[in-house]
Amino acid sequence: MEQAAAEVRERVQASFDRQGLMSHLGARIAHIGPGEVHIVLPSRPEVTQQHGYFHAGATSSIADSAGGYAAFTLFPEGTSVLTVEFKINLLAPAEGDRLEAVGTVIKPGRTLTICRLEVFAVTPAHRTLVAAGQQTLIQIESRPEH
């Protein structure tokens, strides 16, 4: 997998590290490439629902962030990213050792960027697609991040 330039990886990682929700969930970035970001979420009771599957909220959250940061890898310095909308289909119960969300830019733009979202449940023996979707993001002037 191709890596993004070092300065892009640093900018994406620094922004990700300021996201309270991703920290709360225990998610981490596993790959930052040009137009593609992978986010991993280990299984733990705090991110599951009543049947022991990963909660749809956790699944959707890491998908949203993976797509957002995939778009952000292509944005110029001095800009930021916000989600305009996203749609996700839950395809199968999300169970495994971890989830891996993959955000991939399918249509970059000066203002709006479209991404494909995929989430896989991962075990030592299998990698199963459990969610798929699409997202629209907007490029904005950089604003202070907390």
Side-chain angles (χ1 to χ4, degrees):
M1 288 187 287
E2 184 181 359
Q3 293 287 328
E7 57 274 3
V8 172
R9 291 193 319 268
E10 290 170 11
R11 184 168 50 110
V12 168
Q13 187 67 58
S15 178
F16 182 86
D17 289 345
R18 290 189 292 275
Q19 284 204 357
L21 181 60
M22 292 298 106
S23 175
H24 179 71
L25 292 174
R28 66 176 177 78
I29 293 181
H31 171 72
I32 303 169
E36 184 172 294
V37 167
H38 298 212
I39 295 177
V40 172
L41 178 63
S43 180
R44 34 188 262 279
E46 295 83 2
V47 295
T48 61
Q49 47 85 291
Q50 70 276 16
H51 302 293
Y53 303 126
F54 282 92
H55 194 283
T59 303
S60 299
S61 293
I62 65 169
D64 175 44
S65 286
Y69 284 115
F72 192 49
T73 66
L74 302 180
F75 290 0
E77 187 72 34
T79 62
S80 192
V81 63
L82 289 174
T83 299
V84 174
E85 64 82 32
F86 74 98
K87 159 98 169 86
I88 195 141
N89 290 89
L90 303 170
L91 307 173
E95 60 182 332
D97 299 329
R98 68 184 186 277
L99 292 182
E100 181 180 359
V102 178
T104 307
V105 172
I106 56 176
K107 170 69 172 73
R110 286 188 312 259
T111 304
L112 298 178
T113 295
I114 310 301
C115 287
R116 176 178 50 249
L117 309 174
E118 297 173 302
V119 182
F120 299 89
V122 181
T123 67
H126 295 94
R127 187 170 187 257
T128 305
L129 182 65
V130 296
Q134 186 170 295
Q135 174 186 46
T136 304
L137 303 128
I138 189 166
Q139 178 179 299
I140 61 171
E141 288 185 32
S142 189
R143 297 177 184 201
E145 294 185 2
H146 302 283

